[in-house]
Amino acid sequence: MTTFGRDVYDDVIVGGGHNGLVAAAYLARAGRSVLVLERLGNTGGAAISSRPFTGVDARLSRYSYLVSLLPAKIVRDLDLRFAVRRRTISSYTPVERDGRPGGLLVGGGDQRTRESFARLTGSDREYESWRAFYGTTGQVARKVFPTLTEPLPTRAELRARIDDEAAWRMLFEEPLGQAVERHFTDDLVRGVVLTDGLIGTFADAHDPSLAQNRCFLYHVIGGGTGDWDVPVGGMGALTDALAAAARAAGAEIATGHEVLRIDTDGTAPAEVVFRTARGEGRVVGRTVLVNASPRALAELLGEEPPKEAPEGAQLKVNMLLRRLPRLRDTTVDPREAFGGTFHIAEGYAELARAHAEAASGELPSVPPSEIYCHSLTDPTILGPELVEQGYQTLTLFGLHTPARLFGHDNNQAREVLLTATLAQLDAHLAEPLTDCLAFDADGRPCIEAKTPLDLERELGLPGGHIFHRDLSWPFADSGGGGRWGVETAHRNVLLCGAGAVRGGGVSGVPGHNAAMAVLGH
């Protein structure tokens, strides 16, 4: 059996994903004894880099891709050797109108963006509406983002902090679709705006639950700007830096340790039962921090899980190309189009139709998705020979594909969906994407796709939900939420994963907040 440095730790952390590592680093730096138990053979969880294609020197961010919600405070506090790079282009959305290929380019300077809006819509009206709309979200971002690493505010406190009733109503009270339709008239522009409310969230623009609003909010407040940046070295560079910081501070990290049970009465130190390849073992923690979903936490405690089961709703595709494909729209350089977020079949009406089809139990006939190329901004993830030969990565994120659609035959549904998704991309290319794909050492094309069921099997994400459950508002609701939004019914057990209040995405916020709760801040 595994032998640890001691029998009893101040803090035992279940799960070595990025949030668990953030908590471990903070607590160890505070002089506490810390043990991290990770089921897999490596730390990082979904925030890793790996070489998925046999014999190919390309280290891809395999499950999570961009960074927006990671506070600079955490990077500074933990002295992380980690950096991000800004993308010069925010997005490109191809479209065919009147038989002619075109598109909307956002980025490259205000004047260039204005001209792109004018070419698409015939006037400056949509561009001015765009500036006004995102001017409002920017003001909200600057006020809300700093609160994520502060004690959890009440709804009234956050509303007062925003101090803009129109903005509060638009983002927190009325379905996002109302604001989109009120501000914009062009179908393509409406769709581009709406997509930030749908990443990893299966909802309609007018869903009364406002799940789309919560998703949109987290997508536009990151860093106080809403920018989504490229992690230098890939997402694994972040978790490697976090693991190094935790170890340097004295934390022990044990991989290949699957936690089976947490026994606690809420006051005395908790006993954590785990399994390794050599059998079962036990360790005691005065506090236990769980970097897993609320459903997994309930199972570990032997309690009834939440009634509503989480359901992921995304297709994730990783590719390596020998070259970027040429576009039908010759006014845009492919290096710019793919350097930002490349929206496919994400017009407003297309998104509504895809949601309706999926809600009725059918794979979307015109599946919406978005792509970006990491290696254009950060070529360090590719080996020198691949860089010299012009190879590039492409990462695709498909929307409106809930886990329920894959239950009957996951493999077949994955292939059907992937084929249909790539066909939508091909419609805007001057050459088939397959002509550009690289091949691995065994002669297979360098492309892999992951459904929600694949993510559940590989990473333990409940229902393949990338946020562990639907995102929460960043304030305490009427049911409480504790001082930091990580507390549970047991005083010595905290939730430090993406399912905590103010969780979701690669942020480290739940890990930071759980550590602050333990330290009594």
Side-chain angles (χ1 to χ4, degrees):
M1 280 302 303
T2 302
T3 301
F4 301 129
R6 59 184 72 211
D7 297 323
V8 180
Y9 288 82
D10 291 325
D11 308 300
V12 173
I13 299 175
V14 179
H18 81 282
N19 278 308
L21 296 173
V22 167
Y26 271 105
L27 293 171
R29 287 168 68 97
R32 298 173 66 87
S33 57
V34 179
L35 173 66
V36 179
L37 300 175
E38 166 56 44
R39 173 179 64 91
L40 299 175
N42 55 271
T43 57
I48 61 168
S49 298
S50 62
R51 292 177 173 83
F53 306 123
T54 303
V56 180
D57 190 10
R59 195 165 183 263
L60 278 60
S61 299
R62 201 167 189 181
Y63 302 106
S64 54
Y65 312 126
L66 295 169
V67 173
S68 177
L69 293 165
L70 174 68
K73 175 184 187 301
I74 292 178
V75 177
R76 291 193 306 269
D77 286 352
L78 301 181
D79 297 322
L80 300 181
R81 296 177 62 108
F82 173 73
V84 296
R85 289 180 185 164
R86 184 67 45 84
R87 300 183 294 174
T88 58
I89 299 296
S90 176
S91 70
Y92 170 72
T93 310
V95 67
E96 182 175 309
R97 289 183 177 175
D98 300 323
R100 294 192 301 272
L104 177 64
L105 185 75
V106 178
D110 290 343
Q111 184 59 32
R112 193 171 181 202
T113 302
R114 178 187 291 274
E115 292 170 354
S116 185
F117 270 89
R119 280 194 301 271
L120 177 74
T121 67
S123 74
D124 285 340
R125 180 192 178 281
E126 290 290 82
Y127 176 70
E128 294 301 337
S129 294
W130 178 279
R131 284 177 55 85
F133 181 83
Y134 284 105
T136 296
T137 65
Q139 291 175 6
V140 172
R142 288 188 288 276
K143 294 177 180 178
V144 172
F145 189 70
T147 71
L148 299 187
T149 50
E150 298 173 357
L152 189 64
T154 65
R155 180 186 180 97
E157 288 169 342
L158 190 64
R159 186 172 189 166
R161 186 157 180 164
I162 292 174
D163 193 25
D164 184 331
E165 284 303 306
W168 177 268
R169 183 173 61 254
M170 179 179 82
L171 295 173
F172 293 84
E173 293 187 349
E174 64 182 26
L176 179 60
Q178 292 186 28
V180 172
E181 293 169 15
R182 185 167 60 245
H183 284 81
F184 306 102
T185 58
D186 187 88
D187 180 84
L188 192 73
V189 176
R190 285 178 169 181
V192 172
V193 175
L194 178 61
T195 54
D196 277 339
L198 305 179
I199 303 297
T201 298
F202 185 59
D204 181 72
H206 292 276
D207 194 312
S209 75
L210 304 188
Q212 72 279 26
N213 289 54
R214 299 193 293 276
C215 183
F216 183 83
L217 183 70
Y218 283 98
H219 276 86
V220 299
I221 64 172
T225 64
D227 291 325
W228 285 80
D229 298 326
V230 177
V232 177
M235 197 62 79
L238 171 61
T239 44
D240 289 348
L242 286 169
R247 289 190 175 101
E252 295 178 51
I253 300 176
T255 58
H257 286 62
E258 180 183 9
V259 173
L260 305 176
R261 192 171 71 251
I262 300 171
D263 295 326
T264 182
D265 62 6
T267 54
E271 187 174 72
V272 180
V273 180
F274 60 86
R275 176 172 56 205
T276 71
R278 291 179 289 176
E280 289 191 7
R282 300 167 186 268
V283 68
V284 173
R286 296 184 176 88
T287 302
V288 177
L289 293 78
V290 179
N291 181 24
S293 69
R295 179 165 289 268
L297 171 60
E299 293 172 353
L300 291 174
L301 291 168
E303 299 175 349
E304 193 72 24
K307 291 183 180 179
E308 189 170 341
E311 182 181 35
Q314 66 285 316
L315 176 74
K316 294 199 169 198
V317 183
N318 297 313
M319 296 172 267
L320 180 67
L321 309 184
R322 291 179 290 109
R323 67 177 187 279
L324 289 176
R326 292 176 289 110
L327 303 175
R328 291 184 61 213
D329 178 6
T330 58
T331 67
V332 178
D333 185 331
R335 295 179 65 87
E336 290 187 317
F338 288 104
T341 299
F342 191 114
H343 297 277
I344 307 165
E346 290 190 333
Y348 198 62
E350 289 173 317
L351 289 168
R353 181 168 62 249
H355 179 269
E357 290 173 343
S360 69
E362 301 292 333
L363 288 170
S365 55
V366 181
S369 64
E370 41 202 61
I371 292 177
Y372 100 101
C373 177
H374 182 117
S375 53
L376 283 171
T377 304
D378 170 34
T380 66
I381 64 169
L382 299 178
E385 290 186 5
L386 296 183
V387 173
E388 184 178 349
Q389 295 171 28
Y391 279 57
Q392 302 288 356
T393 63
L394 282 189
T395 294
L396 181 148
F397 193 106
L399 279 63
H400 287 334
T401 57
R404 70 191 80 162
L405 303 182
F406 303 90
H408 176 66
D409 189 331
N410 184 47
N411 292 335
Q412 181 184 30
R414 185 197 306 114
E415 291 306 311
V416 169
L417 181 61
L418 178 61
T419 299
T421 299
L422 296 183
Q424 292 306 311
L425 172 59
D426 278 348
H428 300 287
L429 302 181
E431 56 183 327
L433 181 70
T434 52
D435 287 358
C436 303
L437 282 174
F439 292 87
D440 70 10
D442 297 323
R444 294 173 299 212
C446 292
I447 181 170
E448 65 167 8
K450 306 288 185 183
T451 71
L453 298 189
D454 296 326
L455 297 181
E456 181 174 47
R457 183 185 68 252
E458 295 174 12
L459 299 175
L461 299 177
H465 202 306
I466 60 174
F467 305 137
H468 290 187
R469 61 177 174 181
D470 286 346
L471 292 165
S472 64
W473 294 115
F475 52 73
D477 60 23
S478 57
R483 176 171 168 79
W484 286 97
V486 298
E487 294 82 354
T488 73
H490 305 277
R491 290 180 57 190
N492 60 346
V493 178
L494 301 175
L495 180 67
C496 69
V501 179
R502 302 182 291 187
V506 178
S507 72
V509 168
H512 168 276
N513 292 348
M516 295 305 104
V518 171
L519 298 174
H521 292 310

